[in-house]
């Protein structure tokens, strides 16, 4: 498998970066994961916008455009003979002296990792389990998709390797936050609920897309701070991320739900299939309606 490293396409076993990279020494780095469907990088604009905002917050002097990134991605697909793929875009601060740096980082390390994926289609159900470990607070003003992932790793160790479960964090104040690698939604009556960014969650790209889809389908969406008891009474529940898409929940701490048979999950999944091979940004949904 070939990866992209600072302007070159190299065999993954040959890739090297310096131990003085501040992404390694101090966690100064960001990443994005996205999915490619039949050659199309779904919601690439949204991923790059979030990445560029994060780079600004970390004082890393580099910005990505759709044209630049899509050219790299298409070449990676070609070299690795891929059509459907997992993509991780990783940007670390680059080399620096040992010690905390205030000055901007001007030579970041840019690495893009591809992995083959099968064609998407069938909904895969999971159980949601409440984590004992609480969600940590963001390092800065808002949570970045950064190299600081220990809270997630410890949570994964808590529930183990089961592929059929997703752990759900509560905040230290007891509000529902997010999954280990996902955002969470639940439906009660005619309203779709999801934790607000004030809980310290990551503003997932698929989260934002689902909120747009719900609006397109004239569904009331409420973002707020919700207790476990509120979520536990859900009629339907699902979690989202850019690789697994929409994951229906069949049970949450003993409360059974319809999973992939849920009407809302089926509606959103149908829309997802419609847009995943063509949409560059969630904002395109609004333009399509005009």
């Amino acid at each position: 498998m070939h990866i992209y490293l600072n302007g070159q396409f190299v065999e993954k076993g040959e890739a090297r970066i310096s131990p003085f990279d501040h992404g390694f020494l101090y966690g100064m780095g960001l990443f994005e994961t996205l999915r490619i469907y039949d050659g199309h990088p779904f919601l690439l604009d949204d991923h790059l916008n979030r990445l560029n905002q994060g780079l600004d917050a970390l004082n890393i002097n580099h910005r990505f455009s759709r044209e630049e990134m899509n050219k790299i991605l298409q070449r990676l697909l070609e070299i690795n003979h891929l059509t459907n793929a997992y993509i991780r875009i990783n940007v670390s601060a680059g080399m620096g002296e040992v010690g905390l740096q205030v000055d901007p980082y001007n030579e970041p390390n840019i690495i893009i990792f591809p992995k083959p994926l099968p064609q998407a289609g069938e909904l895969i159900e999971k159980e949601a389990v409440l984590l004992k470990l609480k969600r940590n607070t963001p390092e800065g003003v808002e949570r970045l998709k950064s190299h600081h992932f220990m809270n997630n790793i410890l949570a994964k160790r808590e529930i183990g390797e089961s592929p059929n479960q997703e752990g759900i964090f509560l905040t230290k104040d007891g509000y529902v936050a997010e999954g280990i690698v996902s955002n969470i939604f639940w439906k009660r009556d005619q309203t779709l609920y999801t934790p607000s960014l004030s809980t310290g969650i990551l503003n997932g790209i698929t989260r934002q897309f689902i909120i747009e889809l719900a609006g397109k389908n004239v569904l009331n969406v409420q973002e707020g701070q919700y207790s476990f008891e509120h979520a536990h009474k859900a009629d339907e529940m699902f979690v989202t991320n850019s690789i697994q898409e929409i994951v229906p929940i069949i049970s949450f701490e003993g409360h059974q739900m319809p999973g992939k048979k849920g009407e809302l999950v089926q509606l959103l999944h149908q829309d997802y299939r419609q847009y995943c091979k063509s949409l560059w940004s969630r904002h395109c949904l609004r333009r399509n309606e005009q």
Side-chain angles (χ1 to χ4, degrees):
M1 185 67 68
H2 284 77
I3 68 172
Y4 174 90
L5 173 62
N6 295 332
Q8 304 293 323
F9 298 90
V10 300
E11 280 283 355
K12 65 178 184 179
E14 298 174 1
R16 301 288 186 272
I17 60 172
S18 168
F20 288 93
D21 188 314
H22 277 206
F24 169 69
L25 290 175
Y26 300 110
M28 293 295 287
L30 302 166
F31 70 99
E32 290 287 331
T33 54
L34 59 102
R35 189 161 181 160
I36 290 183
Y37 298 85
D38 289 350
H40 177 72
F42 183 47
L43 301 179
L44 179 62
D45 290 357
D46 294 346
H47 284 282
L48 295 183
N49 286 339
R50 183 173 65 177
L51 179 57
N52 287 337
Q53 291 171 9
L55 293 172
D56 185 61
L58 294 187
N59 214 9
I60 297 175
N61 281 336
H62 193 92
R63 301 297 178 269
F64 294 96
S65 69
R66 179 205 292 183
E67 292 72 23
E68 170 199 9
M69 181 56 67
N70 192 41
K71 183 177 180 180
I72 295 169
L73 295 179
Q74 295 305 322
R75 181 60 179 150
L76 271 177
L77 294 177
E78 181 183 7
I79 292 172
N80 291 299
H81 307 291
L82 299 175
T83 301
N84 298 283
Y86 162 109
I87 296 291
R88 173 172 167 142
I89 304 167
N90 200 92
V91 185
S92 59
M95 288 180 58
E97 296 298 326
V98 175
L100 303 185
Q101 180 170 320
V102 176
D103 293 336
Y105 294 99
N106 294 314
E107 296 183 14
N109 282 312
I110 301 168
I111 310 174
I112 305 177
F113 306 85
K115 290 195 301 187
L117 284 178
Q119 280 195 334
E122 183 180 355
L123 288 164
I124 305 298
E125 298 172 322
K126 289 189 178 184
E127 299 176 352
V129 297
L130 202 60
L131 293 162
K132 296 177 183 177
L133 183 68
K134 296 298 185 277
R135 190 55 165 131
N136 65 339
T137 55
E139 291 84 4
V141 176
E142 62 181 299
R143 189 176 300 278
L144 304 177
K145 198 169 179 69
S146 75
H147 291 183
H148 295 262
F149 236 60
M150 185 179 294
N151 195 224
N152 306 66
I153 293 170
L154 294 177
K156 183 61 178 174
R157 289 178 182 173
E158 181 180 322
I159 68 169
E161 290 294 333
S162 172
N164 301 318
Q165 289 187 332
E166 172 65 321
I168 304 300
F169 283 109
L170 299 180
T171 69
K172 64 180 180 61
D173 296 319
Y175 296 115
V176 177
E178 59 189 337
I180 298 174
V181 292
S182 64
N183 291 115
I184 184 170
F185 292 82
W186 61 94
K187 178 179 174 288
R188 289 179 57 176
D189 299 322
Q190 297 306 308
T191 299
L192 182 63
Y193 296 92
T194 193
S196 66
L197 300 184
S198 65
T199 60
I201 62 172
L202 180 71
N203 191 10
I205 300 303
T206 307
R207 174 187 185 271
Q208 297 173 54
F209 178 61
I210 291 299
I211 291 172
E212 290 283 349
L213 273 186
K216 169 184 171 292
N217 287 291
V218 199
L219 186 69
N220 182 32
V221 180
Q222 295 291 326
E223 301 177 61
Q225 296 184 341
Y226 303 110
S227 66
F228 161 74
E229 289 74 20
H230 188 284
H232 195 243
K233 297 175 182 177
D235 301 321
E236 289 186 54
M237 180 178 287
F238 56 91
V239 295
T240 63
N241 70 31
S242 294
I243 305 303
Q244 299 178 49
E245 307 178 342
I246 300 169
V247 179
I249 298 300
I250 56 173
S251 69
F252 184 30
E253 294 295 316
H255 175 54
Q256 302 299 311
M257 285 170 285
K260 65 183 180 182
K261 296 179 181 178
E263 292 182 2
L264 178 58
V265 162
Q266 291 186 16
L267 175 64
L268 294 174
H269 178 67
Q270 180 179 344
D271 277 355
Y272 212 104
R273 297 274 66 77
Q274 176 184 348
Y275 293 115
C276 67
K277 296 180 182 180
S278 61
L279 220 60
W280 293 99
S281 169
R282 69 188 187 280
H283 299 304
C284 296
L285 284 176
R286 302 176 193 173
R287 293 195 287 271
N288 288 342
E289 292 176 352
Q290 295 174 350

